[in-house]
Amino acid sequence: MKTDIWGTVNLPSPGIEFHDVVRHRMPFPSFRFLAEMLCIDEDLLGKRMGMSSALLSNATTVGFFPLSESRRLYGLIVALQASCELFEGDVQAAGVFLRSPLRCFNSNAPLEMLITEEGASAVIDLIGQLEHGVLT
């Protein structure tokens, strides 16, 4: 079963239109949807994504995230979509996977790896390996 994370968080699929959303800053309600989908408190999600309480408070007030955090949230959505595909549409299983510490990430959860582009690439690579049964 295919789960459309993009539609669930009220964002267009990756492409030009989504590029414009990220460039103009990710809306705070999308973050709220992500926290709900991952069954994680908004403050804890922000912390795991490397966001300060002050930044989250400001995003709540203005309704948008700065560009760097918008890019991190983009990485989270990509990872969540890939995880949902790995777990055949099971959003809860995908959330558990993203929140669980893994030895291959030095006991960090994939969610914590999404702070950097390199970490996000490593998470997506791992999901691809798991999907194809190729582990190194």
Side-chain angles (χ1 to χ4, degrees):
M1 173 184 4
K2 181 98 168 151
T3 301
D4 179 22
I5 300 302
W6 304 98
T8 303
V9 296
N10 292 324
L11 292 172
S13 296
I16 299 300
E17 190 178 346
F18 184 73
H19 167 77
D20 290 341
V21 168
V22 172
R23 192 179 56 149
H24 292 105
R25 306 184 304 169
M26 185 81 69
F28 185 79
S30 296
F31 175 81
R32 211 169 244 151
F33 284 127
L34 287 167
E36 286 176 22
M37 291 179 73
L38 290 166
C39 299
I40 190 170
D41 178 79
E42 290 174 16
D43 290 330
L44 183 56
L45 178 59
K47 183 179 178 181
R48 290 261 181 108
M49 295 295 299
M51 300 176 193
S52 69
S53 296
L55 187 140
L56 277 178
S57 178
N58 187 57
T60 303
T61 303
V62 299
F64 296 93
F65 286 92
L67 182 59
S68 60
E69 282 71 21
S70 293
R71 287 183 176 149
R72 280 189 218 155
L73 292 172
Y74 170 79
L76 172 57
I77 296 168
V78 169
L80 183 55
Q81 179 70 52
S83 296
C84 282
E85 290 171 15
L86 174 66
F87 291 100
E88 300 177 354
D90 188 337
V91 178
Q92 286 183 326
V96 169
F97 169 76
L98 291 173
R99 293 189 316 266
S100 299
L102 299 175
R103 197 171 359 158
C104 63
F105 295 141
N106 293 325
S107 297
N108 289 313
L111 188 60
E112 295 166 306
M113 299 297 294
L114 300 173
I115 292 175
T116 65
E117 287 182 34
E118 297 80 9
S121 291
V123 170
I124 297 303
D125 288 347
L126 174 63
I127 292 169
Q129 290 173 353
L130 292 170
E131 216 166 19
H132 294 96
V134 180
L135 295 177
T136 57

